Amino acid sequence: MAHHVLRFAAGTDVGQRRKVNEDSAYAGPRLLAVADGMGGHPHGDVASRAAITAIAELAARLSPDLPAGDDLAADLAAVVAGITRRLDDLGRQDAELRRMGTTLTAMAWGGAGFTVAHVGDSRGYLLRDGALVQITRDHTMVQSLVDGGQLTMEEAARHPRSSVLVRALQSGSDAHPDIYRQDARPGDRFLLCSDGVFGYVPHEAIRSAVAGSAEPERVVARLIDLANGAGGPDNITCVVADVLPASAGAGERVPLTIGAAGRDAAGPLARLGRRLRRA
Ligand code: MG
């Protein structure tokens, strides 16, 4: 089977109103992921960092080139279960960390398609033939109401409790990720983003930004500008990946770990880590 390659970029921004960036993301030749630490709970940054650190560890175990016999669905299910155990451990060590949680939308590249693992309300989208289609289903209360016919998508987007999650990776509860295959072909462009993007930037503006440049880096920068231009009420995180024929080469292949998971050792996470070790 002909294998394709990914060209990827990722970016994150704290936005205009939050003090801390609780989003994290990873982008590499085999894995793309966004995690959004849960608002309204303390230490969402610790939770999203735990999720993306586990994704980066899986990426390090996968061959950067292609996959003979990888079982990506099993790998992702194991990573998700491991993240929940890690959050449980942290919650036992420090009562302040109990009930912290994170979304996770992760896509593992198999050479001709992705395996997706998704919990929460970060989103994956596919731009194909000029149309931008959401490929994940939000685990939100309002999505449940849409599914039940009680709200339209437009009403859901404006709902005051639109961000209330019905599923997340959280200490003290089992994770139930959606895990499924997503096909891909050369010319496809995938976007993963946190709700700081799609919650404030209209779908058509996201579509035109995603379609608007050949360079994934420029798309990431444009989406962050649009979200900040819309007031930047939340943290803003995007991963963009293009599917290219292997003959095109993928250019930059150095994995990126950004946001709370990428903060340097002097940051608040390191201080928290020291506090945990003393405890
Ligand atoms: Mg958010």
Side-chain angles (χ1 to χ4, degrees):
M1 181 173 35
H3 284 134
H4 314 309
V5 296
L6 299 182
R7 180 179 57 180
F8 54 85
T12 188
D13 192 90
V14 68
Q16 303 297 304
R17 297 198 211 148
R18 299 278 180 98
K19 287 195 172 65
V20 175
N21 191 346
E22 298 190 325
D23 287 359
S24 295
Y26 176 88
R30 295 296 310 281
L31 273 164
L32 313 168
V34 168
D36 178 345
M38 280 166 56
H41 296 264
H43 303 304
D45 52 348
V46 178
S48 81
R49 183 193 201 198
I52 292 302
T53 299
I55 288 290
E57 288 167 0
L58 171 60
R61 292 198 298 276
L62 294 173
S63 156
D65 297 307
L66 276 183
D70 286 345
D71 185 343
L72 296 175
D75 287 340
L76 286 170
V79 164
V80 166
I83 293 165
T84 306
R85 281 197 303 276
R86 174 82 181 131
L87 297 180
D88 284 341
D89 288 346
L90 289 169
R92 271 194 293 274
Q93 290 166 31
D94 185 336
E96 254 189 62
L97 300 180
R98 239 164 255 157
R99 300 304 294 165
M100 68 175 170
T102 184
T103 73
L104 178 67
T105 301
M107 297 177 58
W109 177 241
F114 289 96
T115 303
V116 180
H118 168 72
V119 187
D121 71 342
S122 298
R123 287 185 179 175
Y125 292 91
L126 164 61
L127 181 79
R128 179 181 284 173
D129 301 329
L132 187 73
V133 176
Q134 186 180 340
I135 60 167
T136 52
R137 188 178 161 283
D138 298 347
H139 295 144
T140 54
M141 189 190 70
V142 292
Q143 182 66 50
S144 308
L145 294 174
V146 169
D147 295 344
Q150 292 140 289
L151 281 183
T152 65
M153 284 297 279
E154 293 67 34
E155 288 166 341
R158 291 193 304 270
H159 196 282
R161 301 187 69 204
S162 64
S163 64
V164 174
L165 298 180
V166 294
R167 276 197 259 170
L169 300 184
Q170 198 165 19
S171 57
S173 66
D174 284 337
H176 297 286
D178 295 336
I179 295 184
Y180 53 93
R181 296 262 312 155
Q182 168 64 48
D183 80 301
R185 55 195 198 216
D188 285 349
R189 170 171 280 173
F190 288 86
L191 165 67
L192 299 183
C193 61
S194 61
D195 64 344
V197 179
F198 63 79
Y200 307 99
V201 182
H203 184 87
E204 176 48 32
I206 295 175
R207 192 208 66 79
S208 79
V210 173
S213 171
E215 300 302 322
E217 293 79 4
R218 293 179 65 112
V219 173
V220 167
R222 176 71 181 142
L223 289 169
I224 291 172
D225 283 350
L226 286 171
N228 273 321
D234 196 1
N235 305 144
I236 305 159
T237 301
C238 309
V239 173
V240 172
D242 289 339
V243 179
L244 304 176
S247 58
E252 185 60 65
R253 300 266 285 173
V254 179
L256 304 165
T257 301
I258 60 172
R263 278 209 279 275
D264 71 345
L269 288 168
R271 289 199 295 278
L272 181 64
R274 283 195 290 276
R275 192 157 59 76
L276 285 175
R277 278 193 296 277
R278 267 208 319 274

